[in-house]
Amino acid sequence: MVRVRFAPSPTGLPHVGNIRTALFNWLFARHHAGKVILRIEDTDRERFDPEALDAIMFGLRWLGLDWDEGPEVGGLFGPYFQSERLHIYHKFARELVEKGKAYYCNCSTERLDLVRNELREKGLPPMYDRHCRELGIDSDPTDPNTVVRLKVPLWGKTSLRDELRGEISFDNSTFDDIVLIKSDSFPTYHFAVVCDDHLMEISHIFRGVEWLPGAGKHVILFNAFGWEIPKMIHLPMILGPDRAKLSKRHGATAITEFVKAGIMPQAMLNFLTLLGWSPKDDTEIFDVEEIIKRFDLHGINTSPSVFDFEKLNWMNSEYIRKLTPSELTKRLKPYYIKWDWLKDDDEISEEYLNRVSKIMQERLRKFTDMKSLGRFFFMEPEEYDQKGVKKNFKPIVADRILEVAQRFENLEKWDEESIENTVREYAKQLGLGAGKIIHPIRLASSGLRMGPSLFEMLIILGKDRVVKRMRKAAAWIKDNIME
Ligand code: GLU
């Protein structure tokens, strides 16, 4: 039975790398009809951040990554929290001490610093000198400095098998005597991870490759207990477009930032899946069922994956296009409210919003693009695109705009045919190409130089609004543009 765990540490906002790890665990389990366990590794009390915990839970729910086991809270499975399992780690640490495989160490921080500094000065790695190793179980466990350390083998090698990378060996002499229980009585990451992976019967460990160096210590610990070692899969590093490790300076990296920017969870899931896994053909867009069906170990790469922000935006635009206009409206509404475009007492109809969604759908790469591209559907333009003004708002244009506004006002029907005919006839009358009339109308009614199909856009805006905006723009030209 496949059993995987996602084991985030709530010490900072979840990075896309953390979420990619969660996703690969989840996809692998779902593919094999296995179980997913969520385990919050909150043993570093100094770095614990409750906001990070909320963001992790939010990110998982947002992507639809569910889990199958955990302590029951109100009829649902909560995650496991390592901070609630201290008694378990203490029991196992004691067991190792009793078997002579671990020991209490009450060296003071000052002593440890001294030893390490001496080694550093000699150009040697700053390790513990194993002073307490032979003192035995009798040293005082109530001393506040006391920690429990593992007796790491002094010579020989420890090997692990990574399912993607093959056999990896570590020289035991490079390992310190691993601390198992810290002086605050919390376990270290290494100790808690091994105890829990054993107790939770984890079959496969998926985690980022940055955890590979520590995995040797886990193997030593598994061996000290005589426990079976789960299969290990270390996922490729994620790089920014400049091929340096992905970091804040590349742009958004926390999952919550992508949510705010208006990336759809389906697009993010699809994108993250391809960040380290490949279907071995050129399919790029797949829904989650399809991914689950195809996801396997063979498709996971070992070479680093580049986080291509442009590709994510493109993928997101593909998912936006799949929405019906009313689905898109539903997703855009919270932004409209946030931007103060919609208020409770507004009389903007659902139908209007859906028409806006429909006409703008193809132009959005993320929901927040609407802020600059679609404001004019809700607000009168406050200014006009500067390049557009230079090209299309010549003084002579003001009267032309006024004339078209008048002809629009006189129209009985406000449909594409009447609007188009009015524009074309007038252009012909002046001996001008239709563009000479169309561009100024677009700028006058939207403030923008580019946008969706003009006639459709004018229909949605409605005759009154369009005429009013055109007159306002004509006045603006007369006031602002010199002959
Ligand atoms: N708690 C570690 C993290 O924050 C998990 C490492 C592991 O999966 O073993 O990523």
Side-chain angles (χ1 to χ4, degrees), residues 129-153:
D129 62 357
R130 302 186 158 111
H131 172 76
C132 296
R133 185 159 172 159
E134 302 309 327
L135 292 183
I137 195 168
D138 297 333
S139 65
D140 178 14
T142 56
D143 180 324
N145 288 320
T146 305
V147 302
V148 182
R149 288 182 185 268
L150 185 76
K151 290 185 184 169
V152 168

Side-chain angles (χ1 to χ4, degrees), residues 359-424:
I359 195 173
M360 293 304 290
Q361 191 152 20
E362 297 226 334
R363 312 186 76 80
L364 300 180
R365 299 196 312 158
K366 26 192 197 338
F367 297 139
T368 42
D369 287 348
M370 195 69 182
K371 191 168 187 181
S372 54
L373 302 182
R375 183 180 182 280
F376 68 87
F377 283 111
F378 300 86
M379 310 278 185
E380 258 188 24
E382 272 163 10
E383 50 193 28
Y384 303 103
D385 177 278
Q386 279 184 13
K387 268 197 196 158
V389 167
K390 258 199 199 131
K391 265 186 106 175
N392 302 306
F393 273 3
K394 303 267 158 51
I396 193 176
V397 171
D399 285 334
R400 290 181 191 157
I401 294 180
L402 283 178
E403 176 59 26
V404 182
Q406 190 54 50
R407 294 187 185 194
F408 277 172
E409 193 162 48
N410 295 342
L411 283 177
E412 265 172 34
K413 271 185 162 174
W414 187 247
D415 58 13
E416 192 155 345
E417 202 188 331
S418 331
I419 299 174
E420 186 166 356
N421 286 342
T422 309
V423 171
R424 293 201 190 281

Side-chain angles (χ1 to χ4, degrees), residues 239-253:
L239 307 179
D242 60 356
R243 302 196 69 85
K245 193 169 180 226
L246 184 70
S247 71
K248 283 201 188 105
R249 88 193 151 74
H250 292 111
T253 52

Side-chain angles (χ1 to χ4, degrees), residues 218-283:
H218 302 175
V219 172
I220 294 178
L221 271 164
F222 277 111
N223 290 341
F225 281 111
W227 291 339
E228 198 184 322
I229 302 172
K231 290 195 163 52
M232 294 186 186
I233 300 100
H234 290 91
L235 304 174
M237 171 127 44
I238 302 179
L239 307 179
D242 60 356
R243 302 196 69 85
K245 193 169 180 226
L246 184 70
S247 71
K248 283 201 188 105
R249 88 193 151 74
H250 292 111
T253 52
I255 195 79
T256 38
E257 293 176 89
F258 294 97
V259 179
K260 278 193 204 132
I263 295 291
M264 290 176 60
Q266 295 83 343
M268 195 70 193
L269 191 143
N270 190 156
F271 176 78
L272 288 179
T273 301
L274 295 179
L275 210 58
W277 177 79
S278 130
K280 303 278 183 242
D281 60 27
D282 43 19
T283 319

Side-chain angles (χ1 to χ4, degrees), residues 115-116 118-120 122-128 173-174 176:
V115 171
R116 288 193 192 116
E118 273 175 19
L119 287 167
R120 259 191 219 111
K122 287 186 199 152
L124 296 168
M127 292 169 70
Y128 175 53
S173 62
T174 60
D176 233 330

Side-chain angles (χ1 to χ4, degrees), residues 438-452 454 457:
I438 287 179
H439 299 312
I441 298 179
R442 177 186 293 288
L443 191 59
S445 51
S446 70
L448 303 178
R449 202 156 38 98
M450 283 179 289
L454 178 74
M457 176 183 117

Side-chain angles (χ1 to χ4, degrees), residues 5-11 18 21 39 41 189 193 197 205-208 210-211 218:
R5 82 313 194 263
F6 174 50
S9 296
T11 51
N18 304 122
T21 298
R39 186 172 79 214
E41 304 208 322
Y189 152 69
V193 105
D197 285 344
I205 295 173
F206 289 81
R207 63 183 154 216
E210 64 276 17
W211 298 97
H218 302 175

